[in-house]
Amino acid sequence: MKLDPFPSLQLYSDHVLLLDQRLLPFQEKYTHLTQLTELIDAIQSLAIRGAPLLGFAGLCGLYLASLQCKNQDEMDAMVSKLSNARPTAIQLSSCVDSSYAKHRHLNLKEQSFAYFSDANEYVKQMSEDSENIAKNGQELVPDASRILTHCNTGSLAMHGWGTALGVILYGSSVLGKNFQVYYTETRPLQQGLRLSSYELHRHHIDATCIADSSAAYLMKEHKIDLVITGADRIALNGDTANKIGTYMLALCAHFHHIPFYIAAPTSTIDFCAKSGKEFLIELREAHEFFNCASGKQNPPEYFKAFNPAFDVCPGDLVSAFITEKGLQQAPFNPLK
Ligand code: MRU
C-alpha cells in the first residue's frame, strides 16, 4: 500500500496547508494558513493534532511568525503563545523552544530560512521514525492478534505510518497479517471513531469501534490479546501521558494479564521529568464535552464538566515501549 500522497500538514514558502481533522471523515478539506494566530487556533481546536505532528506544526508556526513579525519583541511574544498552545504533548514546546533558542540571534530573514530548514528536517525524521516504529513493533503483534488501540495515532498524527496505529497498519498492509482490530471511540472528541476509522478504512482493514467504556468487558470476554496506544509525553520512570482513557485501559489490561504497549518516538521522552507527577495536563472546555453528546448544541447554563485531554499511565503498567530505536523498557537513561 502506497503511503498517503497528501500528508496532513505541509509547509510551503508562503503558507501552511493542513487537512482539517475536525471535519473528518465526512469532509477532506485542506485549508491554507498564512498567519500564526490561525495556526495556533488550528492547534488548539485540534484541526492539527497528535504529539509528533504538533512538533512539525510548531516549526511551521515559527516560520510563519518570522515572515509576519516586524521585530524580535513581537517574535518573542508570538513564540511564547505558540509554544504553550497545547501543554501536554512534548513535541510542540520542545521543537519550538529548541529551534528558537538556536536561531533567535539571527535577523528575521535569516531566521525564516533556518525555521524552514528545521521544519523540513523534522518532517523527514518523523517519517523515518514512524517507519522504524512500525517495523520494530511487529514482533509483538503476531498474525491473527486481536488488538485494541485508543485515540488516533496513524499518519494523521505522525507522517509516515504513525505510532500505535502505524504498527497495525504496517503489519496488515505490508506484511499481510490478519489482525482483528478494535479501536475506542475516544471521548469526548472521538478521534478514534472519526479518524482511526477513516485511516483503517483507507488501508482496507476490517476494524470495529467500541465505546471507551466497553474495553473492560471485551477484555473480560477474552476478546483482546494486546493493547497498543501512543504517547504525548513520557517521564524517565516510564509514566506516560496520553489521551484520556489510556490509564483506564492500562489498568484493565493489567487486571486481565493482557500486555499493554506504548508506541512512540523517543522525542516523546521528557528527559527533565523524573515521573508523570511533573506533567501539565491540558484541561479543555466544558462545551466540548457536552457537544460530543448533544449534536453540537451548546450546554445549558447549569452544566459543568471536568474535561482533561490526557491522563498519566504509571510506567510499571507498560509492558514495553516501541520506539524507532527498538523495544525499550523504563526507566530511561537521563543522559539520552
Ligand atoms: O488530543 P490529541 O488528539 O492531540 O491526542 C492525541 C493522542 O493522545 C495520541 O495518542 C498521541 O498524541 C500520539 S499521536 C501519534
Side-chain angles (χ1 to χ4, degrees):
M1 153 102 201
K2 199 170 171 317
L3 270 177
D4 205 342
F6 304 111
S8 48
L9 182 63
Q10 293 168 78
L11 178 61
Y12 292 92
S13 58
D14 59 350
H15 69 278
V16 162
L17 186 66
L18 68 95
L19 175 60
D20 189 336
Q21 297 193 31
R22 293 168 301 189
L23 306 176
L24 291 172
F26 303 110
Q27 267 188 67
E28 287 177 345
K29 185 176 171 216
Y30 283 86
T31 306
H32 283 67
L33 306 180
T34 55
Q35 302 297 308
L36 180 65
T37 48
E38 296 172 320
L39 185 76
I40 291 177
D41 182 56
I43 290 171
Q44 290 181 325
S45 63
L46 273 64
I48 306 169
R49 48 152 296 283
L53 192 71
L54 288 174
F56 180 37
L59 295 170
C60 294
L62 279 180
Y63 177 68
L64 291 185
S66 67
L67 298 183
Q68 233 182 295
C69 288
K70 297 198 175 44
N71 55 53
Q72 204 59 48
D73 288 346
E74 205 186 321
M75 188 80 187
D76 283 347
M78 282 206 167
V79 171
S80 154
K81 276 193 196 133
L82 174 64
S83 174
N84 294 306
R86 291 197 76 193
T88 308
I90 186 172
Q91 281 94 341
L92 177 60
S93 57
S94 64
C95 286
V96 169
D97 297 350
S98 64
S99 183
Y100 194 50
K102 212 166 33 160
H103 306 307
R104 189 183 176 279
H105 68 282
L106 301 171
N107 68 43
L108 284 169
K109 191 165 171 80
E110 290 166 339
Q111 283 186 49
S112 71
F113 283 117
Y115 301 136
F116 195 83
S117 147
D118 282 1
N120 281 320
E121 219 169 278
Y122 180 85
V123 90
K124 191 166 160 275
Q125 188 66 52
M126 171 164 59
S127 303
E128 279 175 28
D129 287 352
S130 90
E131 172 117 10
N132 287 324
I133 290 169
K135 289 179 177 163
N136 292 337
Q138 293 309 314
E139 66 181 274
L140 303 177
V141 290
D143 188 22
S145 296
R146 297 162 310 164
I147 308 174
L148 174 63
T149 188
H150 187 49
C151 195
N152 170 264
T153 57
S155 56
L156 290 169
M158 180 181 190
H159 286 189
W161 292 96
T163 59
L165 196 61
V167 174
I168 297 170
L169 299 178
Y170 186 88
S172 174
S173 312
V174 177
L175 304 178
K177 293 183 182 176
N178 192 15
F179 299 133
Q180 193 162 346
V181 180
Y182 292 95
Y183 58 98
T184 58
E185 170 195 7
T186 316
R187 296 277 291 190
L189 286 174
Q190 301 180 312
Q191 291 92 328
L193 181 131
R194 295 183 302 103
L195 307 176
S196 297
S197 63
Y198 170 82
E199 290 204 51
L200 284 156
H201 175 70
R202 281 165 63 109
H203 284 260
H204 312 290
I205 297 173
D206 183 30
T208 306
C209 187
I210 61 165
D212 296 9
S213 46
S214 302
Y217 173 65
L218 238 71
M219 291 184 198
K220 184 160 188 271
E221 294 293 304
H222 306 288
K223 295 217 182 322
I224 303 294
D225 298 317
L226 60 109
V227 182
I228 318 183
T229 76
D232 281 78
R233 190 179 287 255
I234 303 170
L236 291 174
N237 70 348
D239 288 358
T240 299
N242 191 49
K243 178 53 51 193
I244 190 77
T246 301
Y247 176 35
M248 193 169 66
L249 290 179
L251 281 173
C252 294
H254 180 72
F255 183 81
H256 290 287
H257 309 290
I258 294 169
F260 178 84
Y261 302 115
I262 299 277
T266 50
S267 58
T268 318
I269 302 171
D270 183 342
F271 288 93
C272 299
K274 287 200 181 100
S275 81
K277 285 190 194 135
E278 294 167 55
F279 295 165
L280 189 58
I281 297 295
E282 174 186 345
L283 292 178
R284 298 185 62 87
E285 301 275 339
H287 72 80
E288 187 172 86
F289 185 87
F290 190 86
N291 288 165
C292 161
S294 68
K296 308 277 179 245
Q297 288 185 73
N298 281 328
E301 232 170 72
Y302 57 79
F303 180 77
K304 284 204 295 190
F306 173 56
N307 188 16
F310 304 97
D311 58 25
V312 179
C313 162
D316 49 16
L317 296 184
V318 181
S319 312
F321 291 86
I322 307 167
T323 77
E324 78 282 7
K325 296 184 176 156
L327 301 184
Q328 300 195 350
Q329 298 287 341
F332 296 99
N333 181 348
L335 303 171
K336 297 198 182 181

